[in-house]
Amino acid sequence: MPYLLYCVTEAGAATPPATGVCGAAVESADWSGLRCFYSLVDMLASDPESVKRDALEFHRVTQELFRQAAIIPFRFPTVLSAGTQIDAHLRERAAAYAAALEQFRNTVQMEVRIGLAGSPGPTDTSSGAKYLKSRAQRARHLEQAVAACRAAMREEMIDWRQRESSHGVRCFFLVGREAVDRFQQQISQVRLHPTLTAALSGPWPPTEFLPVFA
Amino acid sequence: MAASGEVVTIGSEAQHEVSLLDVLDHVLNAGVVIHGSLVISLAGVDLVYVGLNVVLTSVETALRQLHKKAT
């Protein structure tokens, strides 16, 4: 039966919920001070509604563990065909996972998505020059918004990442666990250009700040 | 940390919908990718078979890879 992996934590740091995806028991395997949580899942359905349902269940399990301790989540669905592969994987990455869990032990990731309010228009298309000017103006507004968020969070944030998205910019802040409430209060006071909108989410496991595990 | 540990979304958009999309995006597109030995299927089509290894990823990313390989 396939092993669906949830995440890795330091051994003993967190207690999982009893059941996870597809109602399967959440079990664990230890290696060298690390604990990998998984469920034995007979089959993962592939229709969109089932994927959504199972993904949300996966999120519930990882969030419960994350509420208690630092986690390194696996991407859903990460499935191995044998339990021995979990041992082999942990053995291979024990040092890297342990270092990351220690580094991010007391931190979380907060995210701010900044994008255009409403539909993308109107863009002045009366001429090529006006169109480009309009696009440049929007890009400036986005840059200003990103800068305003970073300035507002400069005391709380430990690290920062950003990525362009199809709708604007995604900003990722690494903050201490104890700073989440302050972060939410301060970021909600940032003023944006009327053409922009922002959505804050978190706390998440700091996946944007994890090293690439070779 | 917020008392319940739940993900909180603050924004001027439909908050529930944004929150659900955020959750799915994080679950399907963030986190560690592991090389494994299991090929998963979608609608009867084997997905993301890369040489002798399989990289398990989100369905959307997997479909993008499939289209790339086909062209």
Side-chain angles (χ1 to χ4, degrees):
Chain A
M1 195 176 286
Y3 291 70
L4 173 71
L5 306 188
Y6 293 103
C7 62
V8 173
T9 69
E10 292 173 329
T15 303
T19 59
V21 174
C22 298
V26 179
E27 303 180 55
S28 64
D30 286 10
W31 179 267
S32 188
L34 298 175
R35 181 163 293 170
C36 179
F37 292 94
Y38 64 88
S39 282
L40 289 162
V41 179
D42 194 18
M43 187 177 68
L44 289 173
S46 56
D47 63 279
E49 280 306 307
S50 295
V51 170
K52 186 169 80 174
R53 176 202 65 209
D54 293 342
L56 291 176
E57 274 299 292
F58 177 92
H59 171 71
R60 180 181 62 79
V61 172
T62 55
Q63 277 300 110
E64 174 56 28
L65 292 164
F66 177 54
R67 189 183 62 77
Q68 303 169 58
I71 70 169
I72 298 173
F74 292 98
R75 198 171 294 187
F76 178 84
T78 293
V79 180
L80 297 177
S81 57
T84 51
Q85 292 179 315
I86 298 178
D87 297 337
H89 180 71
L90 288 180
R91 189 163 52 241
E92 180 186 331
R93 294 197 180 168
Y97 283 170
L101 287 169
E102 182 177 350
Q103 180 182 0
F104 297 106
R105 178 172 293 141
N106 296 310
T107 59
V108 302
Q109 174 179 304
M110 302 298 289
E111 180 176 338
V112 179
R113 290 177 183 260
I114 304 173
L116 296 172
S119 62
T123 307
D124 191 337
T125 56
S126 57
S127 75
K130 287 183 179 177
Y131 172 73
L132 289 174
K133 187 176 174 183
S134 177
R135 290 273 303 232
Q137 193 174 52
R138 282 187 174 149
R140 263 198 313 277
H141 292 154
L142 276 174
E143 286 172 14
Q144 288 166 359
V146 169
C149 288
R150 289 190 68 178
M153 295 300 111
R154 63 183 177 279
E155 290 187 9
E156 299 297 348
M157 73 178 185
I158 300 166
D159 201 352
W160 156 275
R161 297 277 190 278
Q162 75 178 71
R163 273 197 274 132
E164 287 188 13
S165 71
S166 55
H167 303 292
V169 177
R170 295 176 70 175
C171 306
F172 306 95
F173 299 83
L174 184 68
V175 301
R177 280 183 178 252
E178 76 292 343
V180 169
D181 288 345
R182 285 197 304 277
F183 182 94
Q184 290 169 347
Q185 287 170 6
Q186 286 175 235
I187 201 72
S188 63
Q189 293 173 16
V190 173
R191 293 185 178 276
L192 303 176
H193 191 274
T195 59
L196 299 179
T197 186
L200 167 70
S201 66
W204 306 101
T207 51
E208 288 293 318
F209 302 91
L210 289 174
V212 176
F213 298 107
Chain B
M1 171 179 273
S4 67
E6 292 294 324
V7 169
V8 173
T9 303
I10 298 173
S12 57
E13 304 295 326
Q15 294 183 18
H16 177 72
E17 188 62 27
V18 171
S19 181
L20 176 62
L21 289 174
D22 277 333
V23 167
L24 292 176
D25 176 64
H26 274 259
V27 165
L28 296 174
N29 291 309
V32 172
V33 175
I34 184 174
H35 292 280
S37 61
L38 186 69
V39 178
I40 59 174
S41 292
L42 180 65
V45 177
D46 289 345
L47 283 184
V48 203
Y49 179 69
V50 182
L52 295 177
N53 288 320
V54 173
V55 176
L56 296 164
T57 181
S58 70
V59 171
E60 180 186 339
T61 306
L63 287 172
R64 273 206 299 273
Q65 293 293 333
L66 264 182
H67 290 146
K68 266 189 201 171
K69 285 169 72 72
T71 57

